[in-house]
Structure formats: C-alpha cells, structure tokens
Amino acid sequence: MNKTIRKAVVIGSGIMGSGIAAHLANVGIPCLLLDVTPAQLTAEEAAKGLTLDHPTVRNRLAAAAIAKLKKTNPAPLYDEALADRITPGNLDDHLALIGEVDWVIEVVVENLQVKRELLSRVERYWKSGTIVSSNTSGISIDAMSAHCGEAFRQHFMGTHFFNPPRYMKLLEIVPGRDTSPELVSRMKAFCEQTLGKGVVLTKDTPNFVANRIGTYGLLATLREMEAGGFTVEEIDAVTGPAIGRPKSATFRTLDLVGIDTFVHVADNVYDNVADEAERAAFSASLALKSLVEKGWLGEKSGQGFYRKSKGPSGKSEIASLDLTEMTYSPQRKVTSGSLEAAKLAKGAREKVKALLAGGDRYSELAWSLLKQVLVYSAEKVGEIADTIEEIDNAMKWGFNWELGPFETWDAIGLARSAERMEREGAAVPQWVKEWISQGNETFYRKENGSLFYVHAGKYKQAEERPEVVSLRSLKERGRTIRGNGGASLIDLGDGVACLEFHSPNNAIGGDILSMITQSVEEVRRNYEGLVIANQGRNFCVGANLMLLLMEAQDEEWDEVDGIIRLFQNAMYTVKRLEKPVVAAPHRMTLGGGVEACLPADQVIASAETYYGLVEVGVGLIPGGGGCKEFALRASQRAGLPEADLQPYLNRAFETIGMAKVSSSGHDAKRLGYLRETDRVLANQDHLIYEAKRAVLRMVEAGYEPIREERIRVAGAEGKAVLQLGALGMRESGYISIHDLKIARKLAHVLAGGDVPAGTLVTEQYLLDLEREAFLSLCGEPKTQQRMQHMLTKGKALRN
C-alpha cells in the first residue's frame, strides 16, 4: 500500500457513492466519480443539439450527482467549494484512469453478479499497490473477488461506510481471506486519522457487525409488537432514549433507512446463514412485505410507519400506522411509571435500569427486547468480530446507541440478568456462563484509568492509542490539578494542562469563569501551556442565560455588570497569558463558547464544529470580548493604516448581526470565526492530542506572548455605514424594530463608537463599549422576552 492516499476513484454516483466522494473531498483527497454511460438523451440535451457521444451527456449521471451534493441537507460537503475536488466521468471512457490513483471504491448496486463483473473490469486496469474496496453493506468480500487474481485479492477489502458518510462515525473494514494484514492495518490507521472514522474490523459474514445485530434487534421488535399488541408509538417510546437509543427509536429509524432497504438487508442474512433458527429470526414479517408492496417505504415515499401531512390549520401533523388495519391515525403520547422513571434518570445506564425496574408492561417489553439482543450479540462473538469491544463500538458508532450490547448487560447486572434469562428459557451462551461462574460481575472493568474487557476467558486491556486522550481516564488516574462544579484543570503530561468545562450543557457561569482565572495562574506558575477542551456532547452552548435573565428581571444591574466584567477579564487573562494557549472546540460552540476560544493562540476545531456568535437571537450582542476580537481582526486584516477598513467591518457586522453559525469547521473559516492559522481535524477523538502537540510546538519554537496592540477603528463614519445597511434591512421588512436597535448597538461597538475614522483605541476601550451596550440591551423588555423564549422553547423569538 502507498504510504499516503492522494487520489481516489469512486465507482457509482448514487447517494452513497457521491456521499463517499464528498467526504474524500472534505479531507483533501481529489477523486474521480464514475457511473454508467447514458443510453438516451434527455429532452434538455436534445434541445441543445447534443449527441450521445458528447462528454456532457456521457458524464451526466456523475455530474448531476456532484451538483446535487451542493443542495442536499444535511450537507455532505464541509463547504460547497470542495465539490471542485470531484471530477465527473463514466465507466466507458475513464475506467483506465484507475491506474493513476491510490484507492478505488466500488459503490454500485447490492448485487453479487454486478459487483463481480465490475471487479473484472477494474482488474484489467489495476496497478499493483492500488487499494480496491467495496462499499457493500453485507455481500461476501470473498465471493465477489473469488475470480480475481491473487495479487488483486491481496489488495481488496470491504469498506462499509454508514450513511451519510460525512456524519456517521462507523466504518467497517472487512478483510477477505487473502487481504494483506499489513494493508488492513494501514487502512485502519488512515481511515481513523484522515477520514475521522471509528473503524471496526469485521469478519466476512452476512451484514458484518452493525447491520447484523441491528437488523436482528429490529425484527425481534416487530415480533414482540405483534405478539403483545403494541402500537407504533408504544414501541418507539420504549426503544428510544429510555434504553439509550436515538430518538428515532425503531420505526422512525426504519422510515429514515427505507423499509425496502431494510427488507433487502434482512433477506441477505436469511439467504446466507445455515442455521434454521437464525434464518427464521431474519425472516421479514408480512407487515413489512405489505408496506413494500404498497410503496409505503418511509420518508422517501412520503409515508411508512409514520405519515406527515398538513392539518386544517396548515400545521404539520404526524399520523402513525396501525399495522393490523393498515390505516393511519393521529399520533398519541405514550406514558407510564417506568417510562417517566427512565426520563428522570441521568445517563443511559441509569435510564435502562429505571425502565426495567418499573414493573409495568413497558418494562416487560424492554426486558424481552434487550434479552434477545444481548443473547444474540454474545452468540456472535468470534463469528462476526473478534471482540465484544468491536461489537459494542459498531452499535454505538453505526446505530448511535449510547451503550453497546455488552455495556448494556453490565449496566443491568450481568449475573442477575443472565440467571433470569435462563429461568425464562433463553439459551445464554456457554462462554458467558463460564465467565460468570468464575466470579466475574462485568464484561468490562476499569483499573487505574485503563479499560479492560473479557476476551478468551480473561480480561484483556483495551488498546490505548496516544492520539485518543480521555479526560475521564486522566481524572480517574488522579491527574486533576484543581476543579469545581463547572470546570477542572487536568494534567495532560509534558507540562501541558487542559481546562475542561463540565457544567450542565457546558454553559459558562461563575464557576467556569473562576476556574479560567485560576487555571491561568496555575499554568503561569507551573506549566508550559494550556489547552481549552472538553469531551461533552457539545463544547459550549454559551453563557448561563437563566442566571443573566433572573438578574435582569430583578434589575440587579450591578450584578449583571459584574458578571460581564468577570467574563471579559477572564478572557483577557487567557489572551495575556505568557504561555501558549490552544482551544479545541467541537460540535455546538455558541456565543460564550466562541468567546472562550477567540483569545487562544490557535484553535484546532473538529470538522463537525457549529460555531457562531448567536447573542442577537436572545436580543443581545456578544459581551465577553467577541465584538472586540472581531474589531481587532478587521483592523489586522485591513493591514496598512491607509487601507480601507470598511469591507472587513461590514463582514464582521453581517456575521454577528445575522447570528451566523458555521455548518462545519471549514465553514467557520469562511465566516471569519477561524483564522488561516487555525486547523480543522476530521477525527474529533484526536482534538486534545493535537492541541497538546500544538502547544509543545510553540514552546519549542520559543513562544512569544501576544502583545496588546492599538486597534484602528472605523469610528463615526464606519458606524454610519453599518447602521445605514441595517436600516435598509428594516425598511425591506427583513428585520424587526428591535433587531434594528440591536444592530445599531452592535455597529457602535464594532466601529469603536463616535471617534474619528482611523483612531487607534485600546482593547479595554472596546470592551467597555461592548459591556455598556450589553447592559443597556439587558434592560429592554423585548430582549428579556427573547431570553425567556429561548429558555422555555429552545428557539429564537422574532419580536
């Protein structure tokens, strides 16, 4: 295998093929997207006088797929401009170009014969060392490549991306019988590092790991539904967050996947396993087949287990399917003591325990479903994957379960639940019974911060890769330097400390601000540099809005002023620290979360970072230094004193004033939130490791602290330009009167107030303007209405 994959060919431009090509483009790998040559002209092509020999016609399918990538939601591309890295082509004219690339990915229809014929064509042009893989979701790798030469088979494997490729973490790598082990190892590392995937090595068995377990569980759910007379809503109430699964639960998931696709996946196991009992478990129910026959395939056909339509009032209404009558009726809310207990419990482990302890029919349903999936998963260890860790990871990364099957078993009590299973007639696998008989109470255990899991009858330490840093494990090893309820400072080793937020939703309040100040002092005295990062669901959703609203409603203006001063001072001390600081945001990074990153010397963001100063949505402007930093960046980007500052200021005004949020880390650069010197990583798990390395590189290079500089501002003239633009938007009906008031305040701060154009001001001067504007807006009734609405409804109010 080549050390680096620089170019690729993707064959098949459907949803998966184009999605894979898009993700390759996302990470900097140009690729050629090929599809069949059209046999007929479209009416539009004929009207233009084109023929079947014209390149536009011959490349039509791939070109149309690339164009569609720019319109698809959720976006397959980090940035629309990255589509330029994908070149359209066709199999008749361009297949020979596979000799010039490093990786060929086949993504054609799930049909063994079609795949075999395509691989024969690929092999004719294949050059030694080129990787070839199939994106099959379950067809045997050996079966599709058996007719190919040995050298080709050594370079052939399955690479099963989950849909959509950009967002789904799981990538199953499926070695064939002859695939080079060294190649598999290198591809695993490449897909983790460059593509940002969680890789699971699977056996070449029907549906591999995630689809094998997931399909089994979904079919078992349908059988329990029919046997117990449960409704669609009842099943989804039990099989969603109550047991640590996504909100889409069972039937919304099936509607999203496509019911016909699901039946095809189930049939693949049914047709390819020998055990009759297992075949029966994968037999698609008559209800599923009936839905396929009716064309009720889920979201792609407009109806499946659920149907969305507009009601008399024009509002969307969701109806659910009655499988016995094949009719739809309005969706009904499902509740019970066990479901409410699960809802109140914290974390997936406690939720599933609370649900099972409820003692009602929903508890019994949950138990029956879990029992079957846990036993089946245990039966398949060694057959579909070598370890329980790989099976658990496959379900977490591929189906978005919070707990894998074996983690779930540990959570509900291994010995006690296995005993109940056997009492009820379930065949608990022998290896599980032997493990319990040895006195073991769990499949997993933690020891000195390291994870161990059962393998071959004993505990085996899970692989610890240096690029995957676990803050939880570091804390378990006693590496916390100091901490409080909202944040902790953790020793990452090599003289680098990490400031971790861990308040509810990582919202910034007084405890986090206090810890920021303490952390700066600790690093100043005892460490080489600081990383600001955490491993919560989101990096930070902003400041503690509830606290701010309460103080504003009570007219405690000194308190509000104190909160904002504390925030500004904390961010200023980070910026003035004499040691390097690197921030590593991920996912939702909003408002104060962005302001916590702006003072850093460098930001290393996850590709999936949704970054924005959104304070306008709650009737405010950024008050923790965000406006000041954007004014500073405008001054820096303009450069020479005689250069026009206004275009840079206009862009900052639009970004903050429209509360723009990036659709990715790359998009954050386009919006000006990230600088050219900031980096974006595909693999979120590597953020802290790379941030630490960046700190150490700055130390080694002889870090020089950022010196405070005077900021050139646009003054009264620039402010007038900004406010005129906002007035135009108001007169055109795009913004409300209160939006205009906020915009005028924002313009005043960004432009530096009413000073003459070109005036040099201090950072503190801009911070004072920012704080004054923020305080005045806090006193506005309409701002307080917006804040209240956001807290109660979770969305912005336009008043």
Side-chain angles (χ1 to χ4, degrees):
M1 169 185 168
N2 296 327
K3 288 184 178 179
T4 304
I5 293 176
R6 297 182 181 87
K7 293 182 182 177
V9 167
V10 177
I11 303 175
S13 67
I15 291 173
M16 279 304 298
S18 60
I20 291 169
H23 194 56
L24 293 174
N26 284 337
V27 300
I29 299 173
C31 64
L32 180 63
L33 182 62
L34 304 181
D35 213 314
V36 296
T37 307
Q40 290 182 315
L41 293 173
T42 64
E44 186 180 354
E45 289 166 344
K48 290 180 179 178
L50 301 178
T51 69
L52 288 173
D53 293 328
H54 195 282
T56 299
V57 176
R58 296 176 73 79
N59 299 339
R60 181 212 307 154
L61 294 179
I66 296 168
K68 189 176 179 182
L69 290 174
K70 300 178 183 180
K71 302 173 184 176
T72 301
N73 187 30
L77 293 160
Y78 292 154
D79 189 301
E80 282 186 17
L82 298 176
D84 293 342
R85 292 174 177 171
I86 310 172
T87 304
N90 66 81
L91 283 168
D92 295 317
D93 301 332
H94 304 114
L95 193 59
L97 294 176
I98 66 173
E100 301 175 10
V101 304
D102 309 299
W103 186 10
V104 178
I105 311 173
E106 169 272 304
V107 201
V108 300
V109 63
E110 283 287 270
N111 178 287
L112 177 59
Q113 190 55 37
V114 171
K115 290 179 182 288
R116 285 172 61 88
E117 290 171 2
L118 177 60
L119 289 181
S120 293
R121 293 181 67 185
V122 168
E123 190 174 18
R124 287 179 213 150
Y125 301 102
W126 177 77
K127 69 173 183 180
S128 180
T130 300
I131 306 149
V132 181
S133 69
S134 171
N135 184 61
T136 178
S137 61
I139 296 176
S140 169
I141 299 303
D142 286 333
M144 73 173 79
S145 62
H147 63 296
C148 298
E150 182 181 356
F152 184 90
R153 295 198 307 274
Q154 288 172 348
H155 291 78
F156 181 65
M157 68 182 71
T159 48
H160 180 207
F161 289 81
F162 274 62
N163 191 32
R166 168 184 165 180
Y167 299 97
M168 292 302 291
K169 184 172 181 176
L170 179 62
L171 173 61
E172 292 179 324
I173 288 184
V174 192
R177 197 167 28 244
D178 299 316
T179 310
S180 160
E182 182 187 7
L183 178 69
V184 171
S185 178
R186 290 181 179 177
M187 275 298 284
K188 180 177 186 291
F190 169 80
C191 292
E192 289 171 342
Q193 184 72 39
T194 304
L195 301 186
K197 294 300 175 187
V199 175
V200 167
L201 298 181
T202 84
K203 307 285 189 176
D204 188 12
T205 54
N207 288 11
F208 314 130
V209 176
N211 278 344
R212 182 73 165 268
I213 302 294
T215 303
Y216 176 89
L218 287 166
L219 289 169
T221 302
L222 279 163
R223 289 193 298 273
E224 289 294 326
M225 177 184 185
E226 292 169 0
F230 292 98
T231 66
V232 164
E233 295 101 322
E234 286 176 316
I235 293 293
D236 276 358
V238 171
T239 59
I243 57 171
R245 308 276 175 84
K247 290 181 180 178
S248 57
T250 296
F251 294 114
R252 290 190 191 283
T253 297
L254 286 172
D255 278 354
L256 287 167
V257 168
I259 296 165
D260 54 336
T261 302
F262 176 75
V263 170
H264 174 79
V265 172
D267 286 347
N268 187 54
V269 182
Y270 181 85
D271 294 337
N272 289 286
V273 295
D275 182 79
E276 285 303 318
E278 187 169 12
R279 289 190 79 215
F282 282 89
S283 176
S285 71
L286 292 175
L288 284 175
K289 291 178 179 176
S290 176
L291 288 173
V292 173
E293 288 170 7
K294 287 176 177 289
W296 298 358
L297 307 178
E299 286 214 345
K300 61 186 174 185
S301 67
Q303 66 188 91
F305 289 101
Y306 292 96
R307 183 180 68 190
K308 186 185 287 187
S309 59
K310 282 194 175 178
S313 65
K315 274 190 168 185
S316 289
E317 293 182 352
I318 298 174
S320 59
L321 181 65
D322 181 333
L323 281 172
T324 57
E325 301 293 332
M326 284 294 175
T327 57
Y328 290 91
S329 57
Q331 198 175 8
R332 287 169 294 181
K333 186 176 181 180
V334 178
T335 187
S336 77
S338 63
L339 289 170
E340 289 304 309
K343 193 180 294 184
L344 293 171
K346 301 294 184 184
R349 294 174 187 275
E350 296 306 313
K351 285 182 183 297
V352 70
K353 285 162 67 176
L355 179 61
L356 293 180
D360 57 28
R361 65 194 298 258
Y362 298 131
S363 292
E364 292 304 312
L365 173 62
W367 165 253
S368 183
L369 295 174
L370 284 173
K371 172 175 66 176
Q372 295 177 68
V373 171
L374 300 185
V375 168
Y376 185 73
S377 299
E379 287 174 353
K380 295 297 132 186
V381 176
E383 180 184 335
I384 62 175
D386 283 331
T387 70
I388 67 167
E389 184 184 41
E390 286 170 314
I391 292 175
D392 277 351
N393 284 340
M395 300 318 299
K396 289 188 291 185
W397 298 340
F399 277 70
N400 290 322
W401 292 8
E402 289 189 55
L403 301 172
F406 298 96
E407 291 172 324
T408 301
W409 212 335
D410 279 355
I412 66 175
L414 173 57
R416 184 175 64 254
S417 59
E419 182 183 348
R420 180 180 173 185
M421 290 173 188
E422 289 206 287
R423 196 166 60 244
E424 295 173 354
V428 176
Q430 185 61 32
W431 75 265
V432 175
K433 292 194 286 187
E434 290 176 359
W435 181 247
I436 295 170
S437 70
Q438 295 170 18
N440 296 297
E441 298 179 353
T442 58
F443 290 118
Y444 291 92
R445 80 173 185 201
K446 279 283 190 80
E447 190 175 304
N448 297 324
S450 295
L451 181 67
F452 294 79
Y453 60 86
V454 58
H455 182 66
K458 58 184 178 181
Y459 277 117
K460 174 183 178 180
Q461 185 172 353
E463 180 185 5
E464 293 184 351
R465 297 190 297 273
E467 63 271 19
V468 179
V469 175
S470 167
L471 295 180
R472 176 182 291 182
S473 292
L474 288 174
K475 288 192 283 189
E476 287 171 353
R477 292 170 181 170
R479 300 279 282 275
T480 301
I481 302 164
R482 58 177 62 205
N484 60 27
S488 295
L489 188 66
I490 303 162
D491 187 352
L492 296 178
D494 300 315
V496 180
C498 177
L499 174 61
E500 176 202 29
F501 300 165
H502 46 68
S503 64
N505 296 317
N506 287 342
I508 296 176
D511 47 5
I512 287 181
L513 296 175
S514 172
M515 188 51 58
I516 290 172
T517 303
Q518 292 179 51
S519 296
V520 167
E521 288 306 311
E522 183 71 38
V523 170
R524 177 174 285 127
R525 290 195 304 268
N526 299 314
Y527 289 85
E528 298 287 345
L530 177 67
V531 168
I532 302 175
N534 64 70
Q535 292 172 325
R537 177 172 175 77
N538 297 303
F539 177 79
C540 177
V541 298
N544 187 330
L545 194 60
M546 175 64 80
L547 173 64
L548 189 62
L549 177 60
M550 289 170 59
E551 298 290 5
Q553 288 176 333
D554 291 341
E555 299 186 358
E556 297 286 354
W557 303 121
D558 287 343
E559 290 294 328
V560 176
D561 182 67
I563 291 169
I564 303 309
R565 283 180 186 274
L566 182 61
F567 199 159
Q568 290 182 343
N569 290 341
M571 297 304 102
Y572 188 79
T573 59
V574 171
K575 188 168 185 178
R576 297 276 88 84
L577 178 61
E578 301 86 354
K579 310 286 180 73
V581 179
V582 176
H586 65 276
R587 294 187 62 81
M588 300 301 290
T589 303
L590 304 175
V594 173
E595 290 176 306
C597 298
L598 288 174
D601 296 283
Q602 186 178 25
V603 174
I604 299 181
S606 164
E608 299 304 336
T609 300
Y610 317 122
Y611 206 77
L613 292 168
V614 295
E615 286 84 353
V616 167
V618 290
L620 298 167
I621 66 167
C627 294
K628 179 262 294 183
E629 284 296 318
F630 264 69
L632 172 59
R633 289 184 182 186
S635 175
Q636 290 171 334
R637 285 166 179 160
L640 297 173
E642 62 271 17
D644 187 6
L645 188 60
Q646 197 69 48
Y648 303 97
L649 207 58
N650 292 348
R651 185 181 177 193
F653 182 66
E654 180 182 335
T655 298
I656 300 174
M658 300 299 290
K660 291 186 178 182
V661 177
S662 71
S663 59
S664 68
H666 292 76
D667 192 42
K669 281 196 173 186
R670 181 186 67 82
L671 291 172
Y673 287 120
L674 297 183
R675 302 155 293 194
E676 285 305 310
T677 52
D678 295 328
R679 290 176 56 201
V680 178
L681 288 187
N683 196 323
Q684 184 176 309
D685 293 340
H686 296 180
L687 280 180
I688 294 175
Y689 172 77
E690 290 295 337
K692 175 184 170 182
R693 290 181 66 197
V695 166
L696 293 174
R697 280 195 297 270
M698 285 187 241
V699 171
E700 188 177 347
Y703 176 75
E704 292 187 11
I706 299 173
R707 294 184 179 180
E708 181 166 1
E709 58 182 292
R710 296 270 177 161
I711 302 167
R712 181 163 65 97
V713 295
E717 292 179 19
K719 170 183 167 180
V721 172
L722 298 179
Q723 291 187 341
L724 186 62
L727 182 61
M729 292 187 71
R730 169 59 196 153
E731 291 176 347
S732 301
Y734 289 112
I735 62 175
S736 69
I737 292 174
H738 192 53
D739 288 326
L740 180 60
K741 179 175 285 188
I742 299 164
R744 284 172 168 160
K745 299 278 187 183
L746 177 62
H748 181 75
V749 178
L750 288 175
D754 294 318
V755 298
T759 299
L760 297 178
V761 301
T762 64
E763 290 188 44
Q764 188 59 54
Y765 170 82
L766 286 176
L767 287 173
D768 290 342
L769 290 183
E770 189 178 280
R771 192 176 65 260
E772 289 164 9
F774 190 97
L775 277 166
S776 68
L777 287 169
C778 279
E780 294 286 340
K782 287 191 175 182
T783 285
Q784 293 180 18
Q785 289 169 14
R786 289 191 180 192
M787 294 164 74
Q788 185 72 52
H789 194 269
M790 179 62 72
L791 288 167
T792 56
K793 304 291 185 181
K795 55 186 178 182
L797 172 68
R798 294 298 303 275
N799 59 352

